[in-house]
Amino acid sequence: MWQNYLFPATVQEALELLAHHGGQARIIAGGTDLVLQSQRGQCAATVMIDITRIPGLDAIEERDGYITIGCQVTHARIAASPLIRQKAEVLALACGSVGGPQTRNVGTLVGNVVNALPAADGAVALFALEAEVEMVDASGRRWLPIAEMYAGVGECTINPCAQLVTTVRFRPLSDGWASAYQRLANRKALALPILNTAVVVGLEDGVCREVRIAIGPVAPTPFRAREAEAALVGQTPDAEAIVRAARLAADAADPRDSILRGSRDYRKAMVEVLVRRALTEAVTKAMP
Amino acid sequence: MQLKAVGQGVQRLDINQKVRGTRKYPQDFNMEGQLYAKVVWSAHPHAVVKRIDTSVAEALPGVVRVITYRDVPVNEYGINIYDQPVLVAPRHLAGGGQGGGKVRWVGDRIAIVVAESERIAAHARDLVQVEYEPLPVVDDPRRAMQPDAPLVHENRESNILKHIVIRRGDVGLALAHADVIVEGYYTTHHVEHAYLQPDAALGFVDDESRIAVISSCQWPADDLHQIAHMLNLPEDQLREIVPAVGGAFGGREDMHIQHLAALCAFVLRHPVKIVFDREEVTQRTGKRHPFYMRYRTGATRDGRLIAAQVELISDAGAYASTSIPVLGNAATFALGPYKIPHARVDAYTVYTNNAVTMAMRGFGATQPPFGYESQMDKLAEVLGMDPVELRMKNLLDVGDIAVTGNVMTAETGVKETLRRAALAAGWREEDGHWIKPDLGTPSAPYKRRGIGVAVAYKNVGYSLGFEDKATAKVELALDESGEIARVVVKVAAVEVGQGVLTALAQIAADTLGVDMDKVRLALVDTSETPDAGSSSASRHVFISGNAVAGAAAQAKEKWQTILREETGEMHVEAEYTFRGRSVRPTTPFDPETGQCEPHISYSYATQIALVEVDVETGQTEILEFWSAADAGKVINPIMYFGQQAGGVHMGVGYALTENYIQQEGRPRARRFSEYHIPTVMDMPRQFESIAVESAPDPNGPFGATGLGETPTLPTAPAITNAIHDATGVWIESLPANAERVWRALRAADKL
Amino acid sequence: MLLKMTLNGEPVSVEIEPDDLLAQVLRDKLGLIGTKIGCGEGECGACTVLVDGVAVTSCIYPAMKAHGRRVETIEGVAKDHELHVIQQAFVDHAAAQCGYCTPGFIMAAKALLDTNSHPTREEIVAGISGNLCRCTGYYQIVEAIEDAARRMG
């Protein structure tokens, strides 16, 4: 595995270490995925740069109209955060469904994102929240829409040899907005999802102002069911409209056959069920 | 005899160390200067081995030796038949015996790399170069039975390892006269034991120059028997020490690691440690047999079973292991605990290139209940009869004759388990009829509730003529006044978690009339503790318990003689061998009719599951579960509960979440993240264990039989019958995971 | 590399490889064999230890992460010769059979009860949902933890 393990004190130092080791180094936070990748020969890095001791990256806070979550924040902290539970419930539920307590205690939301798996619970929720991530490299900092982080299954657009993600942010869900999370797995803990969906709904005068439906794994990246969303916007979200939207989501989903987690046709059928349930739940919660 | 320990929930003897983390398992032992070994496994499920080149690996600094077929004196082993090579040889050198020439599954071994550190050994194993020529893979026993199938063992004419027949009465005639006939084709899957402690062993040469291993196992004496053959050494030059074992469930009945550690110590005359990782345990050790079961059952209109025709085909995998005795058991239990005068059973076990299949909790009694109990519910539905009532009419009672022609005797307590479970679950008995309880309201509009019952039984002790015996030694240390100060029980009954140490100590304490805290069980060490047979077949309480009770009774007699004669002796020793045949000799199947006296004793269980099925996703949740078992006298009620709950855990996984998936002989469920045993959240929310002591076995110690396996047997059919009750669909293949239930609902147009 | 941590209340310095995982260091370098390795992928919880009071699976936890931290293992749970309340409850409820998963369960239970002295049954179940047991069916474990919570007041 790796031959050196370093704790930079600042983001700047982390970037310098990445540069110094010229492609041999990787950023590690919780390491719950990276350690296994390293053991299984899927990550050849010889230097681990542990960013969990850099000050200032461990906050969950609301500022300037955003909720921001630092890259050291674990799934467990998000799942338990009153702020997240109140203003981005879908993310708390998603993070609370990852693995088991020990994994959630160590694994981070940002790690979940940069691993770029299409069914990563936290990431699917962030798609529904239209989150942005702050990417830092030698040229500075910039905010990217979360969807731009993904190049394919397990492929993140972040250059692991030169860039790192410090923060995730999204708009809190205010009055008239609500979210829901649905997940199907082979057992109730310690299981990757067969299918998951995160839904955010904004209502105005009983009509959908905005709808966001994220689903995994039905595409190489977490998937937004745009046609389904569009079909609801401007509509009264009654049972019929929700069923129609859920069907559109299932039509658009393109899951693959997995011998361990479920066939394509089962997953496709379940998209309709989970999206319908999530929309129903979110709409109910969003009603005044 | 006054019982002060037996029947009490006395504290487990090993638990203090277990909660402190100080109890040592094989991987916790180390020796000065020990070396570390890693196994080079077959890369193919079926291939000719053309060339093995160890030179690059051996050149790596820190590598001590790469052990290959050349180092194995007699290159074959196996618990039942010596059909497994220890280390596979290249074909041109294979010669006679099972030396190999080819790999037959991915658990075959090519070499063992021994190095100064675990890291070096792991690195070096990837440097051993093996040239293979892949052969066609046969991965379905039904295909493997065909005459044109590729042969797994070329020295055999067919892949069919064994065909067992049972013929009783006239099935054809009886079915022709049956008022109703129900049919089904049921399949079960490969299941991993998933004991939490990965196999580990430390081989060394002891101070008496014996080749010794500290290892997890279930039957040390049989391990030595096989290792002696393999190393061409007398058994008294071998030794196995068995510390704490982290679960077994049949999975350690075959040797996975101890013979390899012994071989390393034999070759190198140096301590060598081997520890498997979870992926090795999952992919390279044996599994529970998948069964393909065809049932045809006939009954009269008033619900009397009259005939059953059963075909069982089991997937033996690449080597025999215990597939033949497992099949034998399955055949004797093919009909379930019912009186059926006319029966025809054809049972086959067949070699394939899949994982070796072997003993696992139930030993062939676990698969048939999914068939016969589904059939019972199908019949109940066709007859419009309550499932409990139908079963009550047909269950075996004392004096009834089972399918193998044997007469059921005093310990037949199955009806009482059904009665107690049904009453606990809310059934009512009125005017001789049984009435199902109201199930309450489902928790969501898309959920349906259902309740399912299943009954099963199983042998206690070895079966079908295989001799079952145990020897125990009891040593008493007396104090100045002649009172018993300490009791040491020596018996090689391996504590795999089931609590045998404590149960045997309770039996010794009450037989001697001493307090539990005076009794100690010696560490299992073949050089010290006499052979007690395996920790399997739910047998230790009955067989080894009788041995301990016998030795304790003799020790007590000697002690009383000492007191009477005032000899002043301070030490008493007695040894006693209990033989199962002394209470009931078992016999093999008659080759034409299958009639026999199959088993020494039995235990019984009825389980009832209340489930809620999500009819949109196919997910099943178990709300409540009742498990009533009769294993005669309860030795320890707290441990009894633990066996019931643990058995149900394994049954829930079998029914819903576990599936050892292979594709063309290659493992696809490779590790714990891919092989899902139930978590605490997946267990029934409410669980009731009911101890039924209606039929003590007069031959068992204090009337006890054995409970280790029975609580796993009815769980899956209780759940699938509940799923049927909830949804109207029959689940005929396990596991009944969400997708499978959804498919059944879709096929029945019930989505 | 030199790993310094507080281990069961005592300062410890140990020379390790940079890629050593905490479970290996505890078992192989420090002889604390009570931490068990069941799966090697953070999936079964047998290796659970507490780092700064938080339960982690030490089999996938880079040992260097423990540098400067407070680590508790099963060996530190009993004080002197007296079992911890949780351990005693496990004894009383026969909440261990083969015992291999037991240290991990006790550590997970301790992490839970140290932060939540009156957990509901649901919270207990959630708290041990990252620990697998193949023997007990979990009921006696849940009851032991409930009982321990009661005894701790």
Side-chain angles (χ1 to χ4, degrees):
Chain A
M1 304 209 295
W2 59 87
Q3 287 141 33
N4 204 353
Y5 199 95
L6 305 170
F7 290 105
T10 63
V11 170
Q12 189 54 39
E13 193 191 338
L15 291 173
E16 284 164 15
L17 286 169
L18 278 177
H20 175 75
H21 289 284
Q24 295 302 303
R26 278 288 294 271
I27 299 290
I28 184 169
T32 49
D33 287 316
L34 188 56
V35 168
L36 296 176
Q37 288 164 3
S38 181
Q39 279 182 337
R40 292 172 188 162
Q42 295 155 0
C43 167
T46 56
V47 180
M48 287 292 151
I49 301 173
D50 188 319
I51 54 165
T52 60
R53 296 187 184 197
I54 298 172
L57 300 177
D58 65 344
I60 303 174
E61 55 196 353
E62 188 172 4
R63 60 165 196 246
D64 308 331
Y66 286 97
I67 290 175
T68 63
I69 298 175
C71 63
Q72 296 164 353
V73 177
T74 61
H75 292 101
R77 283 190 52 212
I78 293 167
S81 158
L83 176 65
I84 303 294
R85 285 159 81 146
Q86 197 194 337
K87 295 187 175 173
E89 191 187 8
V90 66
L91 183 63
L93 295 170
C95 288
S97 71
V98 171
Q102 293 90 328
T103 305
R104 297 196 290 272
N105 282 341
V106 177
T108 62
L109 176 65
V110 168
N112 203 236
V113 172
V114 297
N115 255 306
L117 291 175
D121 295 283
V124 169
L126 289 177
F127 267 67
L129 290 165
E130 295 202 320
E132 297 172 302
V133 298
E134 188 191 51
M135 193 271 286
V136 184
D137 61 16
S139 66
R141 298 165 181 261
R142 69 202 120 107
W143 289 98
L144 300 171
I146 185 154
E148 287 185 21
M149 299 275 290
Y150 288 76
V153 177
E155 280 178 60
C156 182
T157 54
I158 292 287
N159 176 358
C161 306
Q163 302 177 319
L164 70 89
V165 173
T166 58
T167 316
V168 175
R169 72 175 183 188
F170 49 82
R171 300 284 184 190
L173 303 181
S174 48
D175 283 354
W177 289 72
S179 63
Y181 192 66
Q182 288 279 331
R183 184 183 207 263
L184 190 62
N186 190 44
R187 61 180 173 187
K188 289 185 183 162
L190 297 171
L192 293 175
I194 294 169
L195 195 79
N196 55 12
T197 186
V199 159
V200 169
V201 175
L203 296 186
E204 216 170 62
D205 303 326
V207 169
C208 292
R209 205 183 105 197
E210 196 166 336
V211 177
R212 303 185 210 129
I213 303 167
I215 311 166
V218 295
T221 73
F223 176 74
R224 281 282 295 275
R226 303 276 181 188
E227 297 90 339
E229 296 173 358
L232 274 174
V233 172
Q235 304 292 313
T236 306
D238 55 17
E240 204 179 312
I242 285 174
V243 166
R244 209 163 42 238
R247 289 209 178 120
L248 285 171
D251 288 345
D254 187 18
R256 44 180 209 104
D257 277 314
S258 159
I259 190 163
L260 288 172
R261 277 186 287 285
S263 68
R264 171 183 163 82
D265 60 333
Y266 178 60
R267 285 172 152 173
K268 220 165 148 63
M270 288 309 103
V271 169
E272 185 181 332
V273 175
L274 296 202
V275 168
R276 170 163 47 77
R277 290 184 186 175
L279 283 170
T280 307
E281 188 188 324
V283 164
T284 309
K285 283 192 272 189
M287 294 283 187
Chain B
M1 193 178 300
Q2 195 197 350
L3 299 188
K4 283 168 66 186
V6 167
Q8 302 301 311
V10 301
Q11 184 180 313
R12 290 181 61 111
L13 296 190
D14 52 357
I15 199 165
N16 203 295
Q17 286 183 313
K18 283 178 174 173
V19 302
R20 287 175 181 271
T22 54
R23 191 126 184 124
K24 285 168 95 174
Y25 300 79
Q27 38 272 82
D28 302 332
F29 288 83
N30 293 293
M31 283 183 183
E32 194 69 32
Q34 72 192 14
L35 300 169
Y36 299 83
K38 291 281 180 196
V39 174
V40 179
W41 301 99
S42 168
H44 294 273
H46 199 195
V48 169
V49 175
K50 299 185 72 175
R51 198 175 58 87
I52 301 168
D53 183 351
T54 60
S55 58
V56 180
E58 272 171 322
L60 188 77
V63 171
V64 175
R65 176 87 176 241
V66 179
I67 294 173
T68 65
Y69 63 94
R70 291 190 195 91
D71 300 301
V72 193
V74 181
N75 197 0
E76 58 181 26
Y77 77 105
I79 187 168
N80 199 321
I81 300 173
Y82 290 140
D83 66 349
Q84 308 192 47
V86 180
L87 297 172
V88 178
R91 168 133 296 184
H92 68 284
L93 293 171
Q98 292 294 338
K102 68 172 189 175
V103 289
R104 298 182 177 86
W105 76 301
V106 297
D108 271 325
R109 294 151 300 272
I110 305 293
I112 307 170
V113 176
V114 184
E116 288 163 7
S117 77
E118 204 169 0
R119 278 174 191 251
I120 296 170
H123 182 203
R125 86 161 133 190
D126 296 336
L127 302 176
V128 173
Q129 290 158 4
V130 187
E131 197 182 319
Y132 297 95
E133 184 183 301
L135 295 168
V137 171
V138 54
D139 64 356
D140 184 322
R142 296 164 296 182
R143 163 86 184 98
M145 288 169 83
Q146 303 304 316
D148 64 336
L151 284 174
V152 178
H153 292 264
E154 282 143 358
N155 58 346
R156 298 179 61 93
E157 283 175 10
S158 152
N159 288 320
I160 299 174
L161 174 60
K162 183 73 181 174
H163 175 201
I164 292 168
V165 299
I166 299 176
R167 302 286 184 262
R168 185 161 183 80
D170 187 336
V171 170
L173 193 65
L175 283 176
H177 286 89
D179 295 323
V180 292
I181 293 176
V182 294
E183 302 187 43
Y185 188 66
Y186 306 96
T187 66
T188 68
H189 50 312
H190 283 92
V191 177
E192 158 63 10
H193 304 82
Y195 38 73
L196 260 285
Q197 175 235 332
D199 297 274
L202 178 58
F204 61 102
V205 180
D206 81 356
D207 48 15
E208 292 183 34
S209 299
R210 288 177 291 216
I211 301 297
V213 284
I214 297 172
S215 179
S216 40
C217 83
Q218 285 179 245
W219 189 355
D222 193 72
D223 288 357
L224 291 199
H225 183 68
Q226 293 180 65
I227 294 169
H229 177 78
M230 170 190 134
L231 298 182
N232 198 21
L233 287 174
E235 285 180 36
D236 64 7
Q237 288 180 32
L238 300 169
R239 178 181 174 194
E240 187 166 32
I241 300 161
V242 191
V245 176
F249 316 111
R252 304 196 210 257
E253 228 177 87
D254 294 38
M255 296 194 297
H256 302 311
I257 200 164
Q258 52 272 58
H259 58 319
L260 307 180
L263 175 64
C264 291
F266 172 78
V267 171
L268 293 164
R269 316 298 296 179
H270 198 89
V272 180
K273 184 170 178 176
I274 314 183
V275 182
F276 286 170
D277 61 29
R278 178 56 57 185
E279 299 196 13
E280 290 176 298
V281 178
T282 308
Q283 300 173 38
R284 321 287 182 170
T285 71
K287 305 284 167 273
R288 177 185 284 149
H289 295 76
F291 268 60
Y292 301 83
M293 309 184 282
R294 192 178 300 283
Y295 274 82
R296 215 159 169 244
T297 313
T300 61
R301 194 163 292 111
D302 63 353
R304 268 186 316 110
L305 298 174
I306 55 172
Q309 188 170 340
V310 183
E311 180 193 74
L312 307 174
I313 298 171
S314 86
D315 182 346
Y319 296 104
S321 175
T322 42
S323 291
I324 294 171
V326 164
L327 186 76
N329 245 27
T332 69
F333 296 117
L335 270 53
Y338 299 108
K339 0 173 217 211
I340 308 181
H342 304 278
R344 187 184 169 90
V345 179
D346 283 275
Y348 305 85
T349 188
V350 187
Y351 281 128
T352 66
N353 297 117
N354 286 331
V356 167
T357 44
M358 55 184 296
M360 183 177 177
R361 208 172 199 163
F363 202 79
T366 317
Q367 297 92 342
F370 181 54
Y372 63 71
E373 285 304 83
S374 297
Q375 290 287 100
M376 289 305 282
D377 267 30
K378 284 184 182 176
L379 261 182
E381 187 171 84
V382 172
L383 293 165
M385 192 177 283
D386 179 84
V388 170
E389 190 171 325
L390 176 67
R391 285 174 172 83
M392 277 295 183
K393 278 177 189 279
N394 291 285
L395 284 172
L396 290 169
D397 229 326
V398 179
D400 287 334
I401 296 173
V403 65
T404 36
N406 53 297
V407 179
M408 301 307 292
T409 50
E411 72 279 13
T412 308
V414 63
K415 270 192 181 167
E416 188 61 10
T417 66
L418 176 58
R419 198 181 71 82
R420 293 278 301 276
L423 291 175
W427 257 267
R428 283 177 298 128
E429 194 184 2
E430 279 176 19
D431 308 327
H433 293 294
W434 286 84
I435 299 150
K436 191 176 125 171
D438 175 59
L439 305 184
T441 313
S443 60
Y446 46 81
K447 291 186 178 177
R448 306 280 180 274
R449 282 192 175 185
I451 195 161
V453 57
V455 186
Y457 77 139
K458 157 146 217 319
N459 58 301
V460 171
Y462 303 141
S463 304
L464 297 163
F466 188 84
E467 190 181 13
D468 199 345
K469 61 176 183 183
T471 302
K473 197 187 270 186
V474 169
E475 298 175 2
L476 311 180
L478 308 182
D479 64 18
E480 306 283 305
S481 62
E483 289 305 306
I484 298 171
R486 273 195 327 279
V487 180
V488 177
V489 180
K490 293 184 173 172
V491 56
V494 175
E495 170 64 63
V496 295
Q498 82 280 46
V500 62
L501 287 184
T502 311
L504 294 180
Q506 288 177 265
I507 289 168
D510 276 356
T511 308
L512 289 162
V514 302
D515 290 337
M516 274 290 285
D517 59 10
K518 292 194 170 144
V519 184
R520 192 173 73 77
L521 268 284
L523 174 75
V524 172
D525 178 339
T526 54
S527 70
E528 292 282 330
T529 46
D531 179 19
S534 61
S535 291
S536 64
S538 308
R539 59 180 287 285
H540 268 321
V541 160
F542 190 98
I543 304 289
S544 304
N546 269 324
V548 168
Q554 286 188 3
K556 188 176 181 182
E557 222 174 275
K558 287 186 183 177
W559 166 57
Q560 282 165 344
T561 308
I562 289 168
L563 290 186
R564 212 168 37 242
E565 296 175 0
E566 298 182 12
T567 64
E569 284 169 81
M570 306 278 285
H571 186 81
V572 178
E573 232 181 85
E575 189 174 288
Y576 181 82
T577 298
F578 175 77
R579 292 172 197 276
R581 66 167 185 250
S582 70
V583 299
R584 186 176 298 156
T586 68
T587 58
F589 290 112
D590 177 276
E592 256 97 64
T593 66
Q595 300 298 288
C596 56
E597 183 66 58
H599 307 298
I600 299 170
S601 186
Y602 300 87
S603 70
Y604 305 86
T606 296
Q607 294 179 342
I608 295 177
L610 171 64
V611 307
E612 214 165 73
V613 181
D614 183 326
V615 291
E616 292 182 341
T617 65
Q619 278 180 306
T620 300
E621 178 158 27
I622 309 165
L623 305 178
E624 289 189 58
F625 200 93
W626 298 264
S627 181
D630 193 330
K633 171 77 181 169
V634 176
I635 300 289
N636 184 319
I638 297 187
M639 297 197 320
Y640 193 96
F641 179 97
Q643 285 301 306
Q644 292 245 52
V648 169
H649 173 267
M650 215 166 262
V652 168
Y654 190 45
L656 298 177
T657 62
E658 297 178 33
N659 195 0
Y660 182 70
I661 299 170
Q662 298 159 94
Q663 269 181 319
E664 292 177 0
R666 292 183 187 276
R668 289 292 178 254
R670 298 164 296 179
R671 44 180 83 103
F672 265 0
S673 55
E674 296 174 340
Y675 185 85
H676 289 167
I677 71 169
T679 71
V680 63
M681 299 179 105
D682 301 291
M683 290 298 287
R685 280 191 237 152
Q686 301 286 331
F687 173 78
E688 187 179 346
S689 159
I690 301 160
V692 180
E693 296 180 278
S694 71
D697 187 333
N699 299 315
F702 303 95
T705 63
L707 186 70
E709 298 161 282
T710 313
T712 296
L713 313 184
T715 314
I719 292 168
T720 52
N721 283 343
I723 292 171
H724 175 79
D725 188 46
T727 63
V729 299
W730 295 110
I731 303 298
E732 296 188 327
S733 293
L734 294 179
N737 59 26
E739 179 166 349
R740 183 160 276 144
V741 173
W742 174 80
R743 283 187 185 285
L745 289 164
R746 191 176 62 168
D749 224 3
K750 289 179 186 240
L751 282 177
Chain C
M1 301 179 88
L2 189 66
L3 166 64
K4 289 185 178 186
M5 58 185 168
T6 305
L7 180 58
N8 297 327
E10 302 288 329
V12 165
S13 297
V14 55
E15 192 61 41
I16 67 164
E17 298 297 324
D19 61 348
D20 274 341
L21 301 168
L22 184 57
Q24 295 167 334
V25 172
L26 293 170
R27 289 180 53 83
D28 301 340
K29 299 221 155 74
L30 299 167
L32 298 181
I33 51 101
T35 298
K36 302 300 184 195
I37 296 175
C39 71
E41 56 168 338
E43 193 76 14
C44 78
C47 65
T48 300
V49 303
L50 309 192
V51 177
D52 286 351
V54 170
V56 309
T57 43
S58 63
C59 75
I60 58 164
Y61 193 81
M64 281 310 294
K65 276 188 173 293
H67 190 70
R69 305 289 196 217
R70 189 164 48 82
V71 175
E72 291 167 73
T73 70
I74 188 69
E75 287 86 354
V77 173
K79 287 291 164 251
D80 301 321
H81 289 292
E82 198 162 324
L83 293 181
H84 187 278
V85 175
I86 299 171
Q87 291 171 314
Q88 189 59 50
F90 269 62
V91 168
D92 296 341
H93 290 265
Q97 287 186 27
C98 91
Y100 198 78
C101 70
T102 308
F105 270 97
I106 289 174
M107 297 315 290
K110 185 165 190 298
L112 174 72
L113 296 184
D114 283 352
T115 51
N116 179 0
S117 53
H118 298 285
T120 62
R121 196 174 176 100
E122 284 68 34
E123 286 169 335
I124 291 172
V125 164
I128 58 168
S129 63
N131 293 71
L132 296 176
C133 170
R134 190 53 154 171
C135 298
T136 64
Y138 303 104
Y139 297 103
Q140 288 165 319
I141 295 174
V142 173
E143 283 159 16
I145 298 169
E146 276 180 328
D147 195 12
R150 269 195 302 273
R151 291 188 213 181
M152 288 160 90

